[in-house]
Amino acid sequence: MAFRQALQLAACGLAGGSAAVLFSAVAVGKPRGGGDADTRATEPPAWNGAGAGRGVWDSNWDRREPLSLINLKKRNVESGEDELASRLDHYKAKATRHIFLIRHSQYHVDGSLEKDRTLTSLGREQAELTGLRLASLGLKFNKIVHSSMTRAVETTDIISKHLPGVSRVSTDLLREGAPIEPDPPVSHWKPEAVYYEDGARIEAAFRNYIHRADAKQEEDSYEIFICHANVIRYIVCRALQFPPEGWLRLSLNNGSITHLVIRPNGRVALRTLGDTGFMPPDKITRS
């Protein structure tokens, strides 16, 4: 049955032109051992909550679906559907959130201490170009949230010059780390403790910052998050409900712009991933 569902989902993915849907669908029911005898059901990953199957959109992914916020046991039977509709409307989001995830610019990777890993001269140029690009969009940005690591702080300093009046907030949640063991695995991140420690923090960053708008928000918002490649790649996978173990398969240039859109109904769209088309070719790096 699982294999039949996988084929159906794969067909839908091909019809819609979405390689990502196909990628998710093939993972359903795929034997780990490679033989027909291995029929063990694949356990849903821990991040997936109460077991929504891969390839099926979880409309309550951010735990802000209006119906999930109402205690139906306290519902007044006499007032019935009118009361329920009124209470649902109270919790419904009205605005769209635009999330701009910016990877820091090129930095000195050979610094012995984190504070020594400052931006290179090219990195400073990249940040200028990114700032100019964001300013050229003509959007009213609401805030800048940035990682507390040196390279992210310096990138923010330069970008902020092009966005006067936009408030900025520093957070440790967005610091670089290894979010979850990648699949296929790699050799340079071995200890499980790294994933256990970094993963909890990066997942906390996702839950704290990536969700539909609050019901009290009346107008669309445009928010900038300046952080790191691993954090951004993980957030993109989680937001689109793709298997997050695939985060390492995505690649992001320094100073790149990734644009996520979260609609009031909880639907998420990826407008751009790692865009650096605004930079001359000789200014583009991925270090």
Side-chain angles (χ1 to χ4, degrees), residues 106-167:
Q106 186 191 66
Y107 68 104
H108 294 285
V109 297
D110 54 352
S112 57
L113 299 175
E114 194 277 319
K115 66 181 181 65
D116 299 323
R117 295 167 191 164
T118 56
L119 297 186
T120 63
S121 57
L122 175 55
R124 301 186 71 82
E125 288 184 66
Q126 291 170 339
E128 292 282 359
L129 291 167
T130 303
L132 286 168
R133 172 59 176 170
L134 290 170
S136 73
L137 297 177
L139 300 173
K140 184 181 178 181
F141 290 105
N142 300 78
K143 62 180 179 181
I144 298 174
V145 182
H146 64 87
S147 158
S148 57
M149 297 185 82
T150 301
R151 54 191 182 272
V153 173
E154 291 190 341
T155 300
T156 303
D157 289 340
I158 296 171
I159 289 177
S160 291
K161 293 190 304 181
H162 299 280
L163 303 171
V166 180
S167 63

Side-chain angles (χ1 to χ4, degrees), residues 174-196:
L174 292 174
R175 292 173 73 90
E176 184 64 301
I180 188 173
E181 186 173 1
D183 187 10
V186 293
S187 59
H188 54 288
W189 280 316
K190 283 285 188 181
E192 292 183 5
V194 173
Y195 302 111
Y196 184 78

Side-chain angles (χ1 to χ4, degrees), residues 79-130:
S79 56
E81 297 301 322
D82 290 340
E83 181 204 17
L84 178 59
S86 175
R87 292 172 66 188
L88 284 173
D89 189 63
H90 176 74
Y91 289 106
K92 282 182 180 178
K94 306 173 188 64
T96 294
R97 292 184 68 207
H98 292 264
I99 307 293
F100 292 85
L101 299 158
I102 313 299
R103 189 192 175 195
H104 61 78
S105 302
Q106 186 191 66
Y107 68 104
H108 294 285
V109 297
D110 54 352
S112 57
L113 299 175
E114 194 277 319
K115 66 181 181 65
D116 299 323
R117 295 167 191 164
T118 56
L119 297 186
T120 63
S121 57
L122 175 55
R124 301 186 71 82
E125 288 184 66
Q126 291 170 339
E128 292 282 359
L129 291 167
T130 303

Side-chain angles (χ1 to χ4, degrees), residues 214-255:
D214 187 273
K216 296 179 181 179
Q217 182 177 322
E218 297 290 339
E219 298 181 353
D220 294 353
S221 58
Y222 300 86
E223 305 157 52
I224 297 172
F225 294 83
I226 301 176
C227 51
H228 309 270
N230 295 353
V231 178
I232 295 172
R233 294 185 282 188
Y234 178 78
I235 284 176
V236 167
C237 288
R238 287 283 281 109
L240 297 177
Q241 297 187 26
F242 294 165
E245 298 89 350
W247 63 272
L248 197 56
R249 304 177 211 175
L250 306 179
S251 183
L252 298 174
N253 294 332
N254 295 113

Side-chain angles (χ1 to χ4, degrees), residues 16-32:
S18 172
V21 174
L22 176 60
F23 166 70
S24 297
V26 173
V28 178
K30 181 181 177 181
R32 285 282 182 178

Side-chain angles (χ1 to χ4, degrees), residues 147-148 171-176 200-202 204-205 208-209 231:
S147 158
S148 57
T171 177
D172 291 338
L173 288 179
L174 292 174
R175 292 173 73 90
E176 184 64 301
R201 172 178 54 78
I202 296 172
N208 192 53
Y209 295 119
V231 178

Side-chain angles (χ1 to χ4, degrees), residues 68-83:
S68 71
L69 300 174
I70 295 176
N71 187 346
L72 295 177
K73 292 182 180 180
K74 293 184 177 180
R75 181 181 171 192
N76 189 327
V77 178
E78 294 182 2
S79 56
E81 297 301 322
D82 290 340
E83 181 204 17

